[in-house]
Amino acid sequence: VSLRVRGAGRFPRRGPATVLWLGVEPVAPLAALKAAVDAHLPPDPEARTFTPHLTLARFRTPLRGPLLRPWLEAHAGFETAPFTVDE
């Protein structure tokens, strides 16, 4: 699979942030892999929308928007060259 890292974000998307991440594209092959794994697991009662990403940081004390906004804006256009993932 050829992937690239693109864009930056935070979880949750609203309210104080607990996670900073970089996005991974394309979503389709990663979503298919997740679905194949999920088919062999019990249903997840807390299932959320799947967002492929690389976690950069987790915060014990959630951060508010004004602290994160400059970093998110500065890294919104972050992008790597495509690279192959084979294992």
Side-chain angles (χ1 to χ4, degrees):
V1 174
S2 180
L3 301 176
R4 78 174 48 208
V5 177
R6 179 185 281 173
R10 52 174 272 190
F11 293 132
R13 295 179 200 270
R14 296 174 194 247
T18 56
V19 175
L20 281 181
W21 53 263
L22 293 175
V24 180
E25 295 179 344
V27 173
L30 298 172
L33 175 61
K34 180 187 182 308
V37 171
D38 286 351
H40 298 282
L41 300 173
D44 181 359
E46 296 182 21
R48 297 177 282 249
T49 301
F50 178 64
T51 303
H53 67 280
L54 300 173
T55 298
L56 298 179
R58 292 183 181 273
F59 306 112
R60 286 189 181 145
T61 302
L63 297 180
R64 301 221 172 261
L67 296 172
L68 293 175
R69 193 168 294 117
W71 188 89
L72 290 169
E73 289 172 358
H75 293 86
F78 178 83
E79 182 176 332
T80 66
F83 56 94
T84 300
V85 177
D86 56 8
E87 28 178 335

